[in-house]
Amino acid sequence: MPYGSAAVAASRGLRLPPLPTIRDLVKLYKLQAIKQMSQNFLMDERLTDKIVKSAGRISDTDIVLEVGPGPGGITRSILRRKPAKVILVEKDRRFLPTLELLQECSQPLGIQMDIHQADILRFPMDKAIPDVSQRLHLIGNLPFAISTRLLINWFKDLSLRQGAFRRNDTTMTLTFQKEVAERICAPLGSEQRCRLSIMSQIWTEPTLKFIIPGKAFVPKPDVDVGVVKFVPLKEPKTDIPFDVVERVNRHIFSMRQKFCRRGYSTLFPEEQRDETTYEMFVEAEVEPTLRPFQLSVDECLRLTEVYWQLIQKNPEIASYDYRGPKAPKEEELVDY
Ligand code: SAM
């Protein structure tokens, strides 16, 4: 092998035994993508290697949990990094034979592989990983249909130091629709900044690693895909309960084009809305006429902090539901 190729092979990590290509396996097992499962497969090894490389250094004592391995393209790239253990969580049982094939290959390489046919949204992390002595990497070319929901669940676990986040060095390397990936990482002042940017940046440092063009997937989705790596912050920026943080920021960003006080004010019943909102902004020292995307993470957290103090003294305010039966319809309420 010429020197250049040897160097490339070494940088790619471990050599796997000869295997049919992912494309051949998909054909052989008739694994047509199912739209409801958000199935779009990556066949190009260079791209799957690049995703796994984005996760950073994986040592031979680490565990990698992959969400939705499908036919196993990314799994092969994970195996080449030679972690101690690979945990696969795949909902669609049709992929089990192709994953079991990889399990057979991993044994002689000294890599333990556990395959779970399960829904990641209900997956019992503590049971699958009872011992926290090993570092954990979460990697996945996520199904679009669940990606933001899963991310928010994981941020909650991170805030509570539970599940996959019992250690504070668990990283996540995940794919999203390009626009969602850009929103997650959007800096202060960017028009793309939204609730998801704030939620991501309160608990982690997210970095948009690279974009994969839609045409690299089979079948080709209508959108391009962004790979984001999340590194948990050593010191979380708040210890206010997750649901309170989520609620306040949902309200702040519910009226994106208006002054930030408008969305925030809907946390309070109508009869005290203007007065309480005014007091909260004074106390939090935040300019009420900024647009939501102009708010820093710290400003959002100061607004959360004063709300948190208020509802501890007046718990009835916490149960106020702006979208309840008496509330007027707000056409601008938007989701993430
Ligand atoms: N990792 C493969 C790749 O990159 O080629 C497949 C990625 S495909 C976008 C998403 C995968 O997630 C599919 O294999 C799908 O069956 C699986 N999946 C969908 N919903 C899931 C869930 N709730 N829990 C676990 N896996 C899920």
Side-chain angles (χ1 to χ4, degrees):
M1 189 187 283
Y3 173 74
S5 320
V8 169
S11 76
R12 288 181 56 202
L14 211 65
R15 256 187 115 99
L16 300 182
L19 285 163
T21 63
I22 295 287
R23 203 176 285 277
D24 288 343
L25 286 175
V26 166
K27 263 194 210 146
L28 186 69
Y29 288 97
K30 299 193 171 53
L31 299 170
Q32 276 93 355
I34 300 178
K35 209 169 175 196
Q36 294 89 309
M37 292 256 209
S38 308
Q39 290 175 347
N40 306 97
F41 308 130
L42 273 175
M43 310 283 188
D44 184 342
E45 241 173 48
R46 283 164 307 178
L47 285 173
T48 57
D49 279 352
K50 199 169 167 187
I51 292 176
V52 177
K53 199 166 164 223
S54 301
R57 185 169 179 271
I58 296 174
S59 89
D60 58 6
T61 54
D62 292 354
I63 301 178
V64 179
L65 182 142
E66 188 191 351
V67 183
I74 295 176
T75 320
R76 292 180 185 202
S77 298
I78 294 171
L79 289 174
R80 282 196 279 270
R81 310 311 308 183
K82 201 175 183 312
K85 183 171 177 175
V86 178
I87 301 174
L88 304 177
V89 183
E90 171 56 62
K91 193 171 174 184
D92 185 346
R93 56 174 307 120
R94 294 179 307 147
F95 294 112
L96 292 182
T98 58
L99 299 176
E100 278 156 6
L101 189 69
L102 291 179
Q103 195 175 37
E104 275 170 36
C105 296
S106 66
Q107 267 167 8
L109 300 173
I111 306 170
Q112 187 186 334
M113 183 185 281
D114 296 349
I115 304 173
H116 299 265
Q117 195 229 319
D119 181 343
I120 190 64
L121 293 169
R122 292 163 224 260
F123 186 67
M125 281 290 174
D126 305 24
K127 257 200 201 157
I129 312 169
D131 177 9
V132 293
S133 63
Q134 288 163 286
R135 182 162 185 226
L136 175 63
H137 305 261
L138 303 169
I139 298 183
N141 175 17
L142 294 181
F144 289 148
I146 65 158
S147 57
T148 25
R149 207 158 114 219
L150 179 63
L151 191 64
I152 290 294
N153 287 357
W154 278 350
F155 288 154
K156 183 165 186 172
D157 287 347
L158 182 50
S159 76
L160 294 167
R161 290 262 172 265
Q162 68 182 21
F165 300 93
R166 283 163 286 161
R167 288 171 61 111
N168 68 359
D169 58 358
T170 302
T171 58
M172 298 174 260
T173 307
L174 307 169
T175 59
F176 298 89
Q177 230 170 285
K178 175 172 164 271
E179 289 68 23
V180 176
E182 286 169 346
R183 274 190 248 153
I184 287 170
C185 304
L188 176 62
S190 152
E191 290 273 354
Q192 286 155 306
R193 201 155 157 98
C194 65
R195 171 167 59 139
L196 199 50
S197 334
I198 300 294
M199 296 301 283
S200 304
Q201 295 167 28
I202 287 176
W203 285 283
T204 72
E205 189 181 340
T207 312
L208 179 50
K209 291 292 192 176
F210 66 102
I211 302 292
I212 308 177
K215 64 177 190 299
F217 295 85
V218 180
K220 175 184 168 308
D222 297 333
V223 291
D224 293 338
V225 167
V227 178
V228 181
K229 179 180 181 190
F230 301 84
V231 177
L233 297 177
K234 289 279 168 270
E235 283 297 320
K237 292 196 164 142
T238 184
D239 53 10
I240 300 171
F242 181 89
D243 292 344
V244 175
V245 179
E246 201 276 334
R247 177 174 165 87
V248 172
N249 286 285
R250 178 156 33 89
H251 280 259
I252 292 176
F253 282 91
S254 63
M255 300 184 198
R256 295 181 51 78
Q257 305 309 325
K258 305 240 161 102
F259 293 150
C260 62
R261 67 168 182 238
R262 273 296 303 280
Y264 188 81
S265 72
T266 57
L267 287 162
F268 310 111
E270 219 165 336
E271 54 283 7
Q272 66 177 84
R273 185 167 293 159
D274 290 347
E275 198 187 334
T276 310
T277 304
Y278 176 77
E279 286 167 7
M280 296 286 104
F281 273 83
V282 170
E283 216 178 311
E285 296 183 24
V286 175
E287 172 57 54
T289 55
L290 291 174
R291 311 277 167 185
F293 68 88
Q294 295 173 311
L295 291 173
S296 68
V297 169
D298 283 347
E299 285 169 322
C300 290
L301 282 176
R302 292 210 297 275
L303 288 169
T304 310
E305 176 68 43
V306 291
Y307 174 79
W308 173 228
Q309 286 166 6
L310 182 76
I311 60 170
Q312 282 172 295
K313 283 187 230 137
N314 306 277
E316 72 288 352
I317 293 180
S319 52
Y320 171 67
D321 179 8
Y322 175 68
R323 295 209 247 194
K326 277 193 232 121
K329 277 217 172 97
E330 176 54 72
E331 74 288 350
E332 280 178 305
L333 278 176
V334 288
D335 213 342
Y336 280 109

